[in-house]
Amino acid sequence: VEVSPPHGPGRGATPNRRLGDVRGVSVPSPPGRRARLSAAVTSRLSSAAREELRRRLLGLIEGHRVVIFSKSYCPHSTRVKELFSSLGVECNILELDQVDDGVSVQEVLSELTNQRTVPNIFVNKVHVGGCDRTFQAHQSGLLQKLLQDDPAYDYDLIVIGGGSGGLSCAQEAAVLGRKVLVLDFVVPSPQGTSWGLGGTCVNVGCIPKKLMHQAALLGQALTDSRKFGWEYSQQVKHNWGTMTEAIQNHIGSLNWGYRLSLREKTVAYINSYGEFVEHHKIKATNGKGQETCYTAAKFVVATGERPRYLGIQGDKEYCITSDDLFSLPYCPGTTLVVGASYVALECAGFLAGLGLEVTVMVRSVLLRGFDQEMAERVGSYMEQQGVRFLRKFVPVVVQQLEKGSPGKLKVVAKSTEGPETIEGVYNTVLLAIGRDSCTKKMGLEKIGVKINEKSGKIPVNDVEQTNVPYVYAVGDVLEGKPELTPIAVQAGKLLARRLFGGRLEKCDYVNVPTVVFTPLEYGCCGYSEERAVEVYQKENLEVYHTLFWPLEWTVACRDNNTCYAKIICNKLDDDRVIGFHVLGPNAGEIIQGFAAAMKCGLTKQLLDDTIGIHPTCAEVFTTLQVTKASGLDITQKGC
């Protein structure tokens, strides 16, 4: 397929009969030579030919003000042509039913735009969409904005949010030669906590959480060490201040590293709060209230989430969240953790591991959305480690009894199953009941970006594009996508490559592995058992499972029937592994490798054919024999 030069054929030249280049009119095929279109055309395209066609299509789009991919008999295409004609706008129209290889063109277009239908409209390099979206853009004023000749934007891309996804996208776009601005501003928590560049993961999430989890594991290792011959007489105690200072120093170095990386890649960074004021224009407000406006051709929303509060008396005045915990200047003491999310259980786990008295108040189930058998096993182990669980209760009032660092708080809670109320006194109350997307105070409604009014999440298509063509979103603000740092990083990088590098790869949100860093780690990939039954039906599944005893636990005489492995197989698909679950030490290191195997189509037979590494915990997955359906005993003997 050939494309004419960007500004049309030279004087006296005949427009191409294949991929035509015309202004305002269609290019008919010569008499008797109507294009023969069939699905086979696409399948016959070699990868090299497909890449060349993609390159030429991008050249056509980038070289013209308005490009309409149409079909001559399509009434929706006709409406769009009439709209642009009424606006006095010259268009380049390609009638796919009247050119050779029209099917191939439409197939490659669908890869570029995630739209399989015509008309398919581009205005000043921005994909507007089909007929409905073009008329919506016209009614909202967006189309007129896009039609401005050679709009002089300040930036090619503005990224709102300096977390994992936003920084990944910004840096990749800059590497591809684009002018990029990152706006990032942390609104202090009700307790006054704020932090530097890098987002939740680096500052108040994954990084400090894993380091405090490690601190707790070291305490357990000290206990185990006596069984391995280590002798020490002095009392061993934990110093909260020493730990938090070291962790915050590490986080500070990461903040600086991010700023340095942006500078090296010539990405502009401004510590200001971004808010849309009109199409393609955003207002940036710094900490002193000074306002500056910037414009861009494209925007990426990557503002993430913040912890949710209960909405009861005393919650914002006296309670803390994960925003505050990791830099808390004093040991939290006796702690009530409200919630049963992974954040709640991880925090409760490492606080208990550091020797604190910890209670977890649970409204309904542990780890909602995760495999519930695994969740209950997580909770059971935490109880063995001294964490107390209050089930089916929710706080209704938090009162301050004494000021201090920490002080004393009284919590009144009500049963979710009846009129019963209970009271308790704690030094610290940590709320971990969920997170809300930071999308409702950034002017998205002014430019027509749709959000879920209840959750604040942003619906996008499978190329992370919102309903407003030049606005994209990545990370935790996305509706229906996993809220995980590596997902945001991958999505941001691939988005930049599609927007500015001519690439086609999309982020794969299927079979994403994750780990809950509770005292005994829980790693999983794929379906929970409940979800697998819902999707595939119980009779079509085979679940293999076993308890196992890590070698490191044997000499230490730790429980031999706590660690657990489970895989869920689809009997109708060659026993394909569709769910992979492990509860045990270093679960994250185990699940990462098996997640790659699942991407490659892992089956039970392939696991059986794999030679295990001995002695390791992971090798248990190469020797699974007992099915749940058999009812056979899986307990281990010893110690």
Side-chain angles (χ1 to χ4, degrees):
V1 177
E2 300 172 2
V3 181
S4 301
H7 299 291
R11 295 182 185 275
T14 303
N16 254 296
R17 191 170 34 76
R18 304 190 75 188
L19 201 159
D21 178 14
V22 295
R23 294 182 180 273
V25 295
S26 63
V27 180
S29 298
R33 182 64 193 274
R34 188 170 181 82
R36 296 184 296 276
L37 305 178
S38 70
V41 175
T42 307
S43 63
R44 287 201 304 268
L45 272 183
S46 67
S47 59
R50 179 180 288 270
E51 179 64 21
E52 176 64 11
L53 174 56
R54 181 193 61 77
R55 186 184 68 78
R56 291 180 180 274
L57 282 174
L58 288 173
L60 181 69
I61 292 163
E62 292 181 2
H64 298 87
R65 186 183 182 202
V66 177
V67 179
I68 302 175
F69 295 92
S70 169
K71 288 184 180 176
S72 60
Y73 55 80
C74 172
H76 303 294
S77 298
T78 301
R79 287 186 64 207
V80 168
K81 295 171 200 171
E82 290 173 348
L83 171 64
F84 282 104
S85 177
S86 71
L87 296 173
V89 175
E90 279 192 318
C91 304
N92 290 76
I93 303 170
L94 182 65
E95 304 289 6
L96 299 185
D97 61 320
Q98 295 186 350
V99 295
D100 291 344
D101 298 340
V103 169
S104 298
V105 172
Q106 192 163 0
E107 185 69 23
V108 173
L109 268 177
S110 74
E111 293 173 356
L112 288 170
T113 65
N114 198 40
Q115 178 184 325
R116 301 190 65 84
T117 58
V118 294
N120 202 334
I121 298 103
F122 290 82
V123 177
N124 276 325
K125 307 174 191 177
V126 174
H127 178 235
V128 176
C131 180
D132 288 346
R133 289 183 69 171
T134 301
F135 274 87
Q136 288 168 6
H138 177 55
Q139 291 166 5
S140 70
L142 172 59
L143 184 61
Q144 290 82 345
K145 181 80 172 177
L146 290 172
L147 283 168
Q148 290 178 358
D149 285 322
D150 300 319
Y153 297 124
D154 299 324
Y155 293 92
D156 297 310
L157 175 69
I158 291 180
V159 176
I160 311 161
S164 304
L167 292 179
S168 173
C169 185
Q171 292 184 85
E172 189 70 15
V175 167
L176 293 168
R178 301 298 171 147
K179 187 179 180 184
V180 183
L181 168 66
V182 172
L183 293 176
D184 185 63
F185 186 85
V186 178
V187 177
S189 75
Q191 298 300 322
T193 309
S194 61
W195 48 87
L197 186 64
T200 296
C201 173
V202 168
N203 294 282
V204 290
C206 320
I207 298 300
K209 174 269 301 290
K210 179 73 182 292
L211 291 173
M212 290 195 176
H213 171 63
Q214 173 65 11
L217 292 181
L218 288 172
Q220 179 66 57
L222 280 170
T223 302
D224 290 350
S225 70
R226 292 186 183 276
K227 291 283 187 177
F228 285 88
W230 287 93
E231 298 177 359
Y232 48 89
S233 56
Q234 70 272 30
Q235 181 183 1
V236 178
K237 61 179 182 179
H238 182 264
N239 187 301
W240 177 271
T242 299
M243 176 188 69
T244 53
E245 182 181 1
I247 289 174
Q248 290 303 312
N249 285 342
H250 175 64
I251 290 172
S253 71
L254 296 177
N255 298 147
W256 172 249
Y258 280 125
R259 296 190 67 164
L260 186 62
S261 181
L262 291 180
R263 188 182 306 163
E264 289 173 344
K265 293 180 173 65
T266 65
V267 175
Y269 161 64
I270 299 176
N271 182 211
S272 293
Y273 187 92
E275 180 183 353
F276 286 98
V277 291
E278 60 181 72
H279 283 297
H280 290 279
K281 187 174 185 179
I282 197 163
K283 177 178 69 177
T285 307
N286 67 17
K288 297 179 180 178
Q290 298 168 331
E291 299 176 354
T292 308
C293 288
Y294 303 94
T295 61
K298 293 179 174 65
F299 291 82
V300 172
V301 178
T303 46
E305 297 180 310
R306 296 291 291 271
R308 184 178 304 145
Y309 284 79
L310 288 163
I312 62 172
Q313 179 185 329
D315 63 345
K316 290 187 177 180
E317 293 86 350
Y318 308 123
C319 299
I320 66 170
T321 68
S322 55
D323 279 358
D324 312 295
L325 178 63
F326 302 111
S327 58
L328 202 65
Y330 53 85
C331 178
T334 301
T335 302
L336 172 68
V337 178
V338 180
S341 64
Y342 73 90
V343 175
L345 298 192
E346 287 175 338
C347 292
F350 68 67
L351 290 175
L354 297 177
L356 304 182
E357 185 179 329
V358 179
T359 301
V360 178
M361 186 174 289
V362 182
R363 178 176 61 86
S364 54
V365 300
L366 303 181
L367 297 177
R368 183 178 300 280
F370 288 87
D371 187 285
Q372 282 303 290
E373 178 188 23
M374 304 302 293
E376 286 302 320
R377 288 182 179 274
V378 167
S380 176
Y381 183 79
M382 290 179 66
E383 285 185 305
Q384 293 174 29
Q385 300 301 299
V387 177
R388 179 185 175 216
F389 282 85
L390 290 174
R391 301 266 189 156
K392 308 293 184 182
F393 279 92
V394 292
V396 290
V397 176
V398 178
Q399 298 175 328
Q400 186 180 63
L401 299 179
E402 294 179 13
K403 292 184 178 180
S405 301
K408 281 190 179 179
L409 303 172
K410 182 174 82 170
V411 178
V412 180
K414 182 180 182 300
S415 170
T416 61
E417 299 181 323
E420 181 185 2
T421 60
I422 57 173
E423 294 182 0
V425 177
Y426 308 91
N427 297 121
T428 299
V429 177
L430 172 67
L431 303 182
I433 57 171
R435 299 172 66 81
D436 292 321
S437 296
C438 302
T439 57
K440 294 188 175 180
K441 294 182 179 180
M442 53 183 302
L444 290 174
E445 72 285 352
K446 295 176 185 175
I447 58 170
V449 174
K450 293 179 181 176
I451 66 171
N452 182 313
E453 288 302 324
K454 182 178 179 182
S455 67
K457 297 281 191 180
I458 302 176
V460 295
N461 58 22
D462 68 353
V463 290
E464 285 80 43
Q465 186 182 40
T466 72
N467 65 299
V468 174
Y470 64 87
V471 179
Y472 299 78
V474 295
D476 290 357
V477 297
L478 297 188
E479 186 173 58
K481 299 293 191 292
E483 298 174 7
L484 298 167
T485 294
I487 278 282
V489 171
Q490 179 83 331
K493 177 177 65 177
L494 294 180
L495 173 59
R497 289 177 180 176
R498 288 194 305 274
L499 292 178
F500 306 118
R503 300 282 288 274
L504 299 176
E505 295 88 349
K506 302 171 186 176
C507 186
D508 185 357
Y509 292 95
V510 177
N511 284 344
V512 176
T514 189
V515 171
V516 182
F517 289 100
T518 38
L520 194 57
E521 297 175 11
Y522 164 40
C524 61
C525 184
Y527 286 101
S528 67
E529 192 170 344
E530 295 85 358
R531 180 61 178 155
V533 168
E534 185 181 322
V535 173
Y536 294 99
Q537 310 308 315
K538 187 174 183 179
E539 62 270 19
N540 298 322
L541 302 174
E542 197 73 85
V543 180
Y544 294 86
H545 68 150
T546 189
L547 292 160
F548 64 94
W549 196 17
L551 180 64
E552 296 85 347
W553 286 27
T554 57
V555 171
C557 280
R558 293 171 67 182
D559 186 64
N560 58 345
N561 285 299
T562 296
C563 299
Y564 181 70
K566 174 170 74 172
I567 61 171
I568 305 160
C569 301
N570 180 4
K571 293 193 289 189
L572 300 181
D573 186 21
D574 198 25
D575 272 342
R576 187 88 50 210
V577 178
I578 59 171
F580 197 104
H581 303 266
V582 59
L583 179 67
N586 303 305
E589 310 301 335
I590 295 172
I591 206 74
Q592 183 68 80
F594 284 110
M598 287 181 67
K599 285 285 187 188
C600 298
L602 181 66
T603 63
K604 177 62 168 64
Q605 187 60 54
L606 286 170
L607 275 175
D608 292 344
D609 292 343
T610 301
I611 305 300
I613 301 172
H614 185 71
T616 63
C617 293
E619 70 175 313
V620 70
F621 287 99
T622 68
T623 58
L624 287 173
Q625 297 297 325
V626 179
T627 66
K628 275 194 172 183
S630 73
L632 295 176
D633 183 29
I634 59 170
T635 57
Q636 307 293 301
K637 306 296 188 289
C639 205

